[in-house]
Amino acid sequence: MTIQGWLQIALFCAVLTALVPLLGAYMARVYSGERTWLTPLMAPLERGFLRLIGSRGAVEQDWKSYGLAVLVFSFCSLVLLYSILRTQGIQPFNPEGFGPVPWDVSFNAAASFVTNTNWQFYAGESTLGYFAQMTGLAVQNFLSAAVGMSVLIAVTRGIVSRGGESLGNFWVDLVRSVLYVLLPISILGALVLISQGAVQSLGGYVEAATLAGGDQGIALGPAASQIAIKQLGTNGGGFFGVNSAMPFENPTGLSNFVQLLFILLIPAALTATYGRMVGNRRHGWALYGVMLALFLVGVVTTYGGESAATPAQADAGIEASADGSHSTGGNLEGKEQRFGIASSSLWSVATTAASNGSVNSSLDSYSGLGAMAPLVNMLTGEVIFGGVGSGLYGMLMMVLLTVFIAGLMVGRTPEYLGKKIGAREIKLVLVGTLTVPLLVLGLTALAVSVPAGKESIFNPGPQGFTETLYAYGSQANNNGSAFAGFTGFVQPNAPGNAGSYGLAFADLLGGVAMLLGRFVPLIAALAIAGSLAGKRIAPPGPGTLRVDSGTFSGLLVFVIVVVAALTFFPALLLGPITQALTERLF
Amino acid sequence: MRELRSTIVTLLVATIALGLLYPLAMTALGGALFGDRAGGSLIERDGEVVGSRLLGQSFAGDDDYFQSRPSVTGYAADATAFSNLGPNSRRLANQISARADRYLAREGSYASGLTRSRIPPDAVMSSGSGVDPQISLANASIQANRIAAVRGLPLDEVERLIDEHTANRQLGLLGEPGVNVLELNLALDQEDGG
C-alpha cells in the first residue's frame, strides 16, 4: 500500500462526492419535467418519440400498469436480443464472419443484457461481430439502465404522492433517461476514451508482423462508444474478453479514472435526486454517506489484501513489497502494470458495489481477503450504490426494514417520510429483499452438488466453491462480474463459433437467476410504491424516527450488515474465508 | 395489447438511434478528432504493421530485446483471456516458480546480486489482458544490464532510453508508471542499426 495509492482513492471519492449534488439536481429537474439546459435540443426529440408511441405515452400509470409496461418491454427486448445473437451469420458489420451463438449461451446473454447484468460467458472479440455488439448489446445497455432509473423515479413518486395512485408514465421516464442523461454523458465519455486510445473503428482485425518475427492478430471494433454506456448504465459487459483490462478498452490511468467515475456516478447521484424529490436532502446525503462508508470498508480490505503476496506467490519465493515508482509489488497475477494494485482494487470494489460487473483485473486470481469485499458487496443485495435505479430502490427496501425494526424497538408504528408502514409494505419488503439471497444460496447449493454444475468449475479446492457462489451471487444480484474460470461456453477454436457449445446447465440456471433477481425485487418495489401512494402524510411527531440523522445511518448500516452476514456467513466460510485463513495450496 | 405496440416502436427507434446512429457517429467523430488513436494506435515500419503502441508482444528467445510480462494467451490480441488461477493454486505456484527460474537464468549473469526475492512480481506473474504493453521500472532496470552487455551499449545510454519510454502517472497521480516494451525495443533497434 503506497501513498500514491491512497491519494488516488481519496481523489476518486472527492470527485465523486463533488459531482453527486450537481448531477442529482439535474436529474431531479429532468424527471419532474422542468426545463434544463439540454431541453431546447432534446424536447423536440422527446415529443416526436411520444407521438410515435401514441396514447400510451400520455396516461398516468398506477403501479400495476407501470409494472406491466416494464415487463412487456423487457420480455420483447429479450426476444429481440436473442434473435440478434442467433442470426449473426447474416448480419453486416461482421468482418470476421462470426456465426450464430449457441442457443443456451444466447439465452444467457440475452437475459443478461436485458436485466442490466451483462454476465458474459463468452468473450466479445472472439464471438460477436460489430453489428451484434452495437445493435444488440449496446442498445440494451442504454435501455436496461433507463428501465432501472425509471422504476426508481416511479417508486419515488409513490412515496411522496399526496393522494392518487399515479406513479408517472413509463415511456416518458424511459425516453427522458436516455435523451437527457445516458446519451449526452455517454457521448462525452466516449470521446474522452477515444482520446486516450480506446478503439472506435469498423475495420476488420489486423494482422501484425511482430518485431521478434512472429505474428499477432489485433482485434478492433466500435468499442469506446459501447464502453461509455457500459460503465454509465452500470451494465459492465466488455467489448473484449478481458473487459477493461484490455488496453484497447482502457489504455491509460486517466481512462481508468473516468470509467471508475462512470461506474458509480449515476447510482451515487440518484441519492441526491431522491433527496430533492422527497423534500429531504439530508436524507439523500445520509443514504449516500451509508453507501460511501460501506464502500470504503471494502476498498481498504481489498487494497490491503492485494498488497500482500498470495500463498502461491509466496510459495514461489516472490516478494510483494511495493517500491515507490519502481515496482507496484503485491499480487499482480491477472493485473495490468498501468493500473497496479490500488486502481485495480478500487475498481473491483466499485464494480461490485455498483452492480456494474466490469473488471480491469482478474477476480479469480485475487487473494482470499482481496476477493471478500467484491463478493460481500454483491451479497448485501447490491445496495451499496447498486445498479442505476435498482440499487437505490433496493436500498429503500432496506430503509423500510430499518424503520420497521426501529419502530418495533420503541413500540411505535413505523413511519417513513410521514407515511405509516404497515404489514402489507413489510411483506413486500421481505419478498423484495429475501428472494435474491434465497436464489443465490439455493442455486449455488444445487450447482455444486450435481456433475452438470461442477463441470463449469475451473480451480480446485475452496476456490472452486467460491467461483460457483460468486457466479450465482453475481447473476442473481445482476452484477455480471465473474471469477472467469467458471465457464458456460466452450470455444475450442477461438476466435470464432466453429465447434463451440454451451454448458446448458450453467447457462439456463444463470439466465433464470438473472431474470428472477431483477424482476421480482423490481415488481415488489413498485407494489410498495403503489401501496404508499394512496396513504396520507402525517406530520412528524415526537415518536418519529428521523431519517436524516446519524442514528438512522448507523442503524441502516447495522441492518444491511447483519442481514447479509446471517444469510451468507456459512457460505462464505466454505469459500473465501477458508482461503484467506490457509496458506495451503490446492 | 397497446403496451406491445409501444414496445415494438421503442425497440425499433432505439435499435436505429442507439444501435446504429450513435456508434456510427462516434466512429466518424472519433476518427476525425483522434485519427489513428481510434484505429488502435498501430505502429508501422516499412509499410507493414508491426504492432500497436497499446499492446504487448512476445520477445521470448531474443536476448537482445527487453522481455514483456508473461502472457497466458501468447499475446493474442483477438482472443483475450485471464489465467483465472486462484491464489492458493499449486499450478500457479509452479508457473511462477518456473518463470522465476527462467528470469534468474537469463538476467542473473548480468545483474549482480539478483535473487528470487528481488524479482519484481510483474516479471513472473501473468498480466490481465495477456497483451500488457508495459513492465515495471524495476523490471526494466534489471534487464538493462543484459541489454547493455549483449548489444554493446553503455548502461546509462540504455537507461536513458528506458526513461524516454516510461509513461509516468497521469496528472501526477493516476495509475502506475510503466515502461512500454515494444516502443523501447523499436528505439533500441533504431539506435543500433539505424
Side-chain angles (χ1 to χ4, degrees):
Chain A
M1 296 187 274
T2 63
I3 301 281
Q4 294 95 338
W6 290 117
L7 281 175
Q8 282 191 66
I9 294 169
L11 179 67
F12 173 73
C13 294
V15 175
L16 183 69
T17 307
L19 290 174
V20 158
L22 296 173
L23 184 59
Y26 172 73
M27 288 195 287
R29 284 204 301 281
V30 165
Y31 290 112
S32 307
E34 291 165 32
R35 198 179 164 76
T36 64
W37 62 277
L38 270 181
T39 307
L41 183 60
M42 298 302 183
L45 294 173
E46 183 186 338
R47 275 196 304 271
F49 171 77
L50 291 174
R51 238 197 312 257
L52 279 177
I53 299 288
S55 59
R56 298 319 293 166
V59 300
E60 294 285 321
Q61 293 175 317
D62 67 349
W63 79 267
K64 289 190 185 131
S65 307
Y66 205 102
L68 183 66
V70 169
L71 290 177
V72 170
F73 184 74
S74 302
F75 178 73
C76 293
S77 297
L78 181 65
V79 171
L80 176 63
L81 183 48
Y82 181 82
S83 312
I84 292 177
L85 294 173
R86 293 291 289 150
T87 56
Q88 268 213 116
I90 56 169
Q91 288 166 6
F93 294 120
N94 186 1
E96 301 304 304
F98 294 124
V101 182
W103 72 273
D104 35 13
V105 181
S106 293
F107 168 70
N108 184 283
S112 172
F113 278 75
V114 168
T115 55
N116 198 244
T117 307
N118 283 210
W119 171 274
Q120 298 170 299
F121 270 133
Y122 66 88
E125 77 276 50
S126 53
T127 314
L128 298 178
Y130 305 152
F131 187 85
Q133 297 244 38
M134 294 190 302
T135 64
L137 306 184
V139 167
Q140 281 310 312
N141 278 353
F142 278 102
L143 296 177
S144 64
V147 167
M149 292 161 77
S150 302
V151 170
L152 171 72
I153 298 301
V155 167
T156 308
R157 291 193 191 113
I159 292 175
V160 294
S161 166
R162 286 175 175 271
E165 310 226 302
S166 163
L167 300 186
N169 182 287
F170 170 66
W171 306 103
V172 172
D173 292 334
L174 191 75
V175 69
R176 282 187 185 157
S177 302
V178 173
L179 285 180
Y180 289 89
V181 185
L182 297 171
L183 191 57
I185 305 180
S186 293
I187 291 175
L188 215 65
L191 289 174
V192 171
L193 292 176
I194 300 172
S195 79
Q196 296 297 298
V199 299
Q200 181 72 20
S201 149
L202 292 167
Y205 294 8
V206 174
E207 275 295 314
T210 64
L211 206 55
D215 44 34
Q216 183 181 49
I218 299 179
L220 296 172
S225 56
Q226 188 167 322
I227 295 161
I229 183 58
K230 142 189 151 183
Q231 304 295 27
L232 189 65
T234 65
N235 293 282
F239 196 91
F240 300 97
V242 291
N243 211 286
S244 290
M246 175 55 159
F248 276 176
E249 279 206 29
N250 194 359
T252 63
L254 182 61
S255 64
N256 190 62
F257 191 79
V258 169
Q259 290 191 41
L260 261 172
L261 268 178
F262 272 28
I263 291 176
L264 292 187
L265 186 61
I266 294 185
L270 281 174
T271 59
T273 305
Y274 180 75
R276 271 169 171 71
M277 288 179 79
V278 301
N280 190 340
R281 287 188 202 183
R282 281 186 52 165
H283 178 44
W285 279 113
L287 294 175
Y288 177 73
V290 166
M291 292 172 175
L292 191 65
L294 289 169
F295 170 69
L296 286 174
V297 170
V299 172
V300 171
T301 45
T302 295
Y303 189 25
E306 291 306 291
S307 298
T310 58
Q313 188 176 353
D315 186 83
I318 303 300
E319 292 279 296
S321 45
D323 179 14
S325 293
H326 285 88
S327 171
T328 62
N331 172 19
L332 271 182
E333 180 70 17
K335 295 193 177 61
E336 296 287 277
Q337 172 63 29
R338 63 193 178 284
F339 305 138
I341 303 296
S343 296
S344 304
S345 305
L346 182 59
W347 186 296
S348 299
V349 178
T351 193
T352 47
S355 109
N356 179 289
S358 62
V359 291
N360 73 352
S361 53
S362 167
L363 289 171
D364 218 337
S365 299
Y366 269 51
S367 59
L369 181 61
M372 196 83 74
L375 182 53
V376 170
N377 277 349
M378 297 189 306
L379 297 178
T380 57
E382 293 295 12
V383 294
I384 306 173
F385 298 112
V388 286
S390 58
L392 189 50
Y393 66 67
M395 176 62 103
L396 289 176
M397 288 195 275
M398 296 306 271
V399 167
L400 290 178
L401 193 59
T402 304
V403 164
F404 176 67
I405 292 174
L408 287 178
M409 289 200 288
V410 298
R412 300 223 181 246
T413 313
E415 55 177 85
Y416 179 59
L417 299 180
K419 296 192 174 178
K420 299 241 180 287
I421 306 298
R424 182 178 153 80
E425 285 76 43
I426 293 301
K427 282 181 200 161
L428 289 167
V429 164
L430 290 178
V431 167
T433 54
L434 291 182
T435 307
V436 172
L438 285 173
L439 274 174
V440 175
L441 291 176
L443 295 178
T444 304
L446 177 62
V448 292
S449 22
V450 302
K454 288 190 270 197
E455 216 184 318
S456 298
I457 295 178
F458 178 67
N459 276 291
Q463 180 83 0
F465 176 81
T466 310
E467 282 180 1
T468 313
L469 176 64
Y470 199 100
Y472 291 101
S474 173
Q475 292 181 93
N477 281 287
N478 303 125
N479 181 281
S481 61
F483 276 24
F486 190 86
T487 186
F489 181 36
V490 181
Q491 281 179 296
N493 306 307
N497 297 321
S500 67
Y501 59 94
L503 298 178
F505 183 87
D507 294 332
L508 296 180
L509 212 58
V512 166
M514 293 188 277
L515 290 169
L516 289 176
R518 171 77 161 175
F519 293 113
V520 172
L522 188 152
I523 297 297
L526 283 174
I528 294 171
S531 178
L532 289 175
K535 297 200 178 193
R536 283 181 311 119
I537 296 183
T544 310
L545 171 71
R546 287 183 62 102
V547 288
D548 52 5
S549 63
T551 313
F552 164 75
S553 304
L555 204 53
L556 179 58
V557 169
F558 178 77
V559 168
I560 293 172
V561 170
V562 167
V563 169
L566 288 175
T567 315
F568 291 106
F569 188 69
L572 289 173
L573 203 54
L574 287 172
I577 296 181
T578 302
Q579 270 184 284
L581 293 177
T582 182
E583 295 274 309
R584 201 189 130 183
L585 298 180
F586 295 91
Chain B
M1 62 194 86
R2 302 227 207 99
E3 308 291 9
L4 197 58
R5 181 190 153 214
S6 309
T7 299
I8 294 174
V9 168
T10 307
L11 288 176
L12 207 62
V13 170
T15 304
I16 296 172
L18 304 172
L20 288 173
L21 292 179
Y22 163 67
L24 292 177
M26 297 313 298
T27 306
L29 198 56
L33 288 174
F34 301 112
D36 56 291
R37 257 180 276 181
S41 307
L42 302 174
I43 302 178
E44 287 191 19
R45 282 287 179 276
D46 307 322
E48 251 202 330
V49 176
V50 295
S52 159
R53 252 170 253 293
L54 299 176
L55 300 178
Q57 293 184 348
S58 171
F59 293 97
D62 269 312
D63 264 4
D64 51 348
Y65 281 131
F66 279 89
Q67 299 296 310
S68 304
R69 289 188 62 192
S71 162
V72 294
T73 56
Y75 301 90
D78 55 3
T80 55
F82 298 124
S83 74
N84 291 317
L85 292 171
N88 294 71
S89 162
R90 172 153 300 291
R91 204 166 122 194
L92 178 62
N94 293 339
Q95 250 182 30
I96 299 176
S97 202
R99 290 175 188 146
D101 287 336
R102 282 199 296 275
Y103 193 82
L104 283 171
R106 207 177 57 221
E107 314 291 341
S109 39
Y110 303 102
S112 61
L114 184 64
T115 58
R116 223 165 231 261
S117 57
R118 288 227 177 94
I119 302 179
D122 69 292
V124 292
M125 300 179 89
S126 68
S127 62
S129 59
V131 284
D132 191 346
Q134 295 179 333
I135 55 178
S136 65
L137 271 68
N139 193 354
S141 299
I142 294 172
Q143 295 193 49
N145 296 293
R146 167 174 55 85
I147 299 294
V150 170
R151 285 186 178 242
L153 292 168
L155 185 59
D156 46 309
E157 179 63 22
V158 178
E159 285 179 348
R160 182 187 65 82
L161 281 174
I162 292 177
D163 225 30
E164 258 175 41
H165 296 276
T166 299
N168 287 307
R169 294 189 176 88
Q170 280 173 300
L171 305 182
L173 198 54
L174 304 178
E176 298 291 323
V179 183
N180 189 311
V181 177
L182 175 58
E183 290 188 329
L184 180 56
N185 284 334
L186 282 169
L188 272 176
D189 273 352
Q190 270 213 315
E191 180 97 353
D192 250 4

